[in-house]
Amino acid sequence: MSKGKFIVFEGIDGSGKTTQINKLCEYLESKGRKVYVTSEPTISMTGGILRDALSGVSKRTSCEMAAMFVLDRIFHNVNHKWGIEKMLNEGYDVLCDRYYYSSLAYQGSETDYEWVKRMNLDCPEIRTPDACIFLDLTPEESLERISKGRATTEIYETKEKLTAVRNTFLNVFEELKENPNEHIYIISAFGDVETVAKRISAAMDEIV
Ligand code: TYD
């Protein structure tokens, strides 16, 4: 049995990650592949603490957040029930909603970027994805989509914040391009669902 591919989706809030993950899942399954969809923060205990902090229920420092995301991510990779390694070894393609690129962009813009980067990229138990798809959208369009689709907004969803995070994401990818292990696809999220889905499946045909 051949090992599956590990594909990460990133994007600022409102960029349509969830919809497009489901579309890619359908596409890969239609090609006869087995697919496992997952996300970060995970369903672990640390993931629960992170979600409370993200929604404002509890307050955490940027360093606490960065460290907890690393802990959650290690567990996400190695746990024997639903871990990424286990699923890849069983031949599943793993599609993950957010990964360490989010830590570099969000926590990296709030605290020491190099520290956040090293914790994630140098950790032997945090796998490098086979592909990272960044769904790129302007903050204006993103906020419009968010306000249509949701009743509440999270702490990261102000225009200034979205602009800063998008720029940080783009800087992160620019810098990571130097690393031959990183395979980053910046894909325009403008247009209807099917149009964006086609852009993604065409890019992924190259690796699966
Ligand atoms: P969530 O509502 O679960 O998903 P999404 O916004 O992708 O639909 O929110 C996840 C939040 O977690 C999002 O605001 C970004 C944040 N986050 C980080 O700050 N650092 C990280 O490493 C990860 C994985 C997520």
Side-chain angles (χ1 to χ4, degrees):
M1 183 173 48
S2 65
K3 206 166 169 148
K5 297 290 181 190
F6 179 30
I7 302 170
V8 166
F9 278 72
E10 293 281 3
I12 56 175
D13 295 317
S15 58
K17 285 188 278 74
T18 311
T19 307
Q20 292 301 334
I21 287 172
N22 292 335
K23 295 296 286 180
L24 183 61
C25 176
E26 279 170 25
Y27 176 73
L28 294 172
E29 283 178 346
S30 78
K31 298 211 319 180
R33 300 183 68 92
K34 299 190 292 182
V35 184
Y36 176 69
V37 175
T38 184
S39 61
E40 293 190 359
T42 73
I43 55 169
S44 74
M45 274 172 66
T46 313
I49 300 172
L50 283 164
R51 268 190 297 278
D52 279 350
L54 288 165
S55 63
V57 168
S58 60
K59 208 161 161 40
R60 301 281 175 179
T61 70
S62 304
C63 290
E64 283 182 288
M65 294 297 282
M68 285 194 291
F69 272 115
V70 167
L71 177 58
D72 188 40
R73 189 160 297 129
I74 292 172
F75 189 68
H76 197 188
N77 272 267
V78 304
N79 86 75
H80 294 298
K81 277 193 182 157
W82 42 266
I84 294 165
E85 289 301 328
K86 172 191 189 277
M87 302 312 287
L88 292 173
N89 286 333
E90 288 179 7
Y92 285 88
D93 291 325
V94 175
L95 306 186
C96 184
D97 187 342
R98 297 193 185 278
Y99 199 55
Y100 57 60
Y101 312 93
S102 277
S103 287
L104 271 56
Y106 290 87
Q107 283 68 52
S109 59
E110 291 180 346
T111 182
D112 188 301
Y113 174 81
E114 282 303 319
W115 175 66
V116 176
K117 182 181 168 187
R118 296 270 68 92
M119 269 201 298
N120 281 278
L121 270 67
D122 293 353
C123 175
E125 293 180 349
I126 295 181
R127 166 176 284 270
T128 308
D130 294 297
C132 166
I133 295 171
F134 180 65
L135 288 177
D136 194 26
L137 201 62
T138 60
E140 290 78 10
E141 178 77 8
S142 153
L143 272 177
E144 213 175 297
R145 288 191 188 176
I146 291 168
S147 63
K148 276 187 199 147
R150 281 191 229 161
T152 57
T153 51
E154 288 187 328
I155 54 170
Y156 288 116
E157 289 166 2
T158 63
K159 187 172 166 199
E160 293 70 31
K161 190 79 202 175
L162 288 171
T163 306
V165 174
R166 179 185 183 224
N167 289 339
T168 317
F169 263 122
L170 294 174
N171 290 338
V172 166
F173 294 136
E174 196 53 40
E175 185 208 16
L176 291 183
K177 267 201 323 215
E178 319 261 299
N179 183 342
N181 297 325
E182 291 288 346
H183 304 285
I184 292 153
Y185 298 78
I186 296 178
I187 291 181
S188 166
F190 277 105
D192 59 42
V193 171
E194 296 304 327
T195 307
V196 180
K198 281 213 183 78
R199 286 182 199 132
I200 295 170
S201 53
M204 290 305 97
D205 276 341
E206 290 173 20
I207 72 151
V208 297

